[in-house]
Amino acid sequence: MSKLIDGKALAAQMREQMAVRVEKLKETGIVPGLAVVLVGEDPASRVYVSMKEKACEATGIFSDEHKLPADTTQQELLQLVDRLNNDPRIDGILVQLPLPDHIDEDCVINAISPLKDVDGFHPYSVGCLAIGNPTFRSCTPYGVMKMLESIDYDLNGKEVVVVGRSNIVGKPVALMCLEQNATVTICHSRTQNLAGHVGRADVVIAAVGRPEMIKGEWIKEGAVVIDVGINRVADKKLVGDVEFATAAEKASYITPVPGGVGPMTITMLLFNTIQSASQRVAG
Ligand code: NDP
């Protein structure tokens, strides 16, 4: 039977340490600041934004909220981003996605200064990660790496199989594992023999968005299983992309859903914001 990697507990522990770091920064006259921009009324986005604001408050980070109506024009949004880029109180800018259809998301993300790109979505940040010289690492994959670090897992020479190749999870987490000298395979919807790939992995990272599609019987004995998927099924229950009960029989470590990778994402956003503020001190 495997051990759980408890993302909730790890996130709480990291946030405590970060609150101490923020206090120290404040002694030097610097209050880390995160601007959070929400356009429109998407209910899920509203929940995420409010969770981010609360997390900032609890950690001592200044949260600068901008809740804009759904009919905000792209030009108006770009002007706000430009103002935030130049605001010395702001160390990080987060524009909550998805944006309304009339706004070009790439154009908005590209307008965020790479120096304040705490979400790690700007092509500059992605490019820096790809060439092995990372600046801001995107938050969910970075959370995954912190979870592996929390169990002292050495990725050097290990077989990692990432299922999913999205820009926000699959690709960046694969690059981060490569950075730590793992041998990485990325699987996707066209992959043949997914079970075979998963079956030889020392570490399986699932980021697909399909409830329990990765079967426990595929998992190699002793593998580490990180389940990024969050899927709502009957009775509003949340499950991951991995068939948890059967996978837990074989894995050495496994992350639960909920309470696994989920809580780490906002934690890493705070982490990146504090990192950015620390660079203010250095600069
Ligand atoms: P996307 O929908 O952007 O990507 C899904 C990926 O899964 C694609 O690369 C797709 O392949 C691949 N895929 C789909 N079907 C199969 C299949 N049958 N076999 C193999 N691969 C398949 O999802 P995201 O990366 O944004 O999110 C993935 C999951 O992670 C979701 O459940 C999401 O809710 C969750 N998530 C959780 C976060 C958190 O914990 N904080 C943050 C972000 C996401 P192809 O490219 O070929 O289409």
Side-chain angles (χ1 to χ4, degrees):
M1 192 69 184
S2 55
K3 294 185 188 151
L4 275 191
I5 310 179
D6 183 341
K8 211 168 157 189
L10 178 61
Q13 185 197 339
M14 286 186 71
R15 287 184 198 192
E16 253 173 55
Q17 291 163 356
M18 286 192 274
V20 174
R21 243 179 109 189
V22 169
E23 273 314 304
K24 292 222 168 86
L25 275 171
K26 285 182 176 170
E27 283 165 18
T28 69
I30 289 176
V31 182
L34 175 68
V36 179
V37 181
L38 173 68
V39 185
E41 306 292 334
D42 181 66
S45 295
R46 281 187 163 262
V47 173
Y48 290 139
V49 163
S50 121
M51 283 163 67
K52 284 164 188 170
E53 286 161 4
K54 283 194 191 122
C56 279
E57 225 168 82
T59 321
I61 294 173
F62 162 55
S63 165
D64 182 28
E65 301 149 26
H66 297 265
K67 292 185 177 143
L68 309 179
D71 62 357
T72 302
T73 64
Q74 179 160 319
Q75 191 56 26
E76 283 164 340
L77 183 55
L78 290 173
Q79 277 165 358
L80 173 62
V81 169
D82 185 51
R83 253 196 349 265
L84 295 170
N85 281 342
N86 292 298
D87 185 336
R89 299 168 310 155
I90 299 301
D91 299 290
I93 302 171
L94 177 141
V95 177
Q96 185 66 44
L97 303 178
L99 290 168
D101 288 347
H102 65 278
I103 297 179
D104 178 346
E105 277 182 5
D106 286 344
C107 177
V108 175
I109 298 299
N110 292 356
I112 295 173
S113 162
L115 298 173
K116 299 190 178 187
D117 176 39
V118 287
D119 239 353
F121 290 164
H122 193 289
Y124 179 82
S125 309
V126 178
C128 285
L129 177 65
I131 61 167
N133 189 17
T135 54
F136 292 113
R137 293 173 171 89
S138 57
C139 301
T140 301
Y142 201 5
V144 169
M145 301 315 284
K146 287 286 174 190
M147 295 182 101
L148 290 170
E149 198 182 305
S150 77
I151 57 164
D152 286 328
Y153 194 83
D154 183 4
L155 281 164
N156 201 6
K158 295 292 192 325
E159 289 280 343
V160 173
V161 171
V162 178
V163 190
R165 57 172 164 181
S166 71
N167 289 334
I168 65 165
V169 190
K171 279 183 203 153
V173 86
L175 286 169
M176 288 179 206
C177 291
L178 193 60
E179 209 190 337
Q180 294 196 17
N181 303 315
T183 302
V184 185
T185 304
I186 306 180
C187 300
H188 45 79
S189 66
R190 312 291 172 90
T191 296
Q192 312 226 332
N193 190 15
L194 181 62
H197 287 290
V198 170
R200 58 176 173 71
D202 299 308
V203 178
V204 179
I205 302 174
V208 184
R210 286 173 180 248
E212 298 182 324
M213 71 156 289
I214 295 173
K215 303 300 169 200
E217 66 191 32
W218 299 355
I219 306 291
K220 182 166 91 176
E221 200 67 48
V224 174
V225 176
I226 309 278
D227 193 348
V228 183
I230 304 177
N231 307 289
R232 204 169 280 286
V233 290
D235 298 330
K236 296 195 171 175
K237 194 181 158 212
L238 291 180
V239 300
D241 290 343
V242 179
E243 198 182 54
F244 182 84
T246 47
E249 296 290 331
K250 299 184 94 181
S252 57
Y253 287 90
I254 189 165
T255 63
V257 179
V261 178
M264 294 301 293
T265 298
I266 294 183
T267 304
M268 300 321 297
L269 175 72
L270 305 177
F271 186 92
N272 280 346
T273 304
I274 297 168
Q275 203 69 16
S276 178
S278 309
Q279 277 151 20
R280 258 207 261 171
V281 184

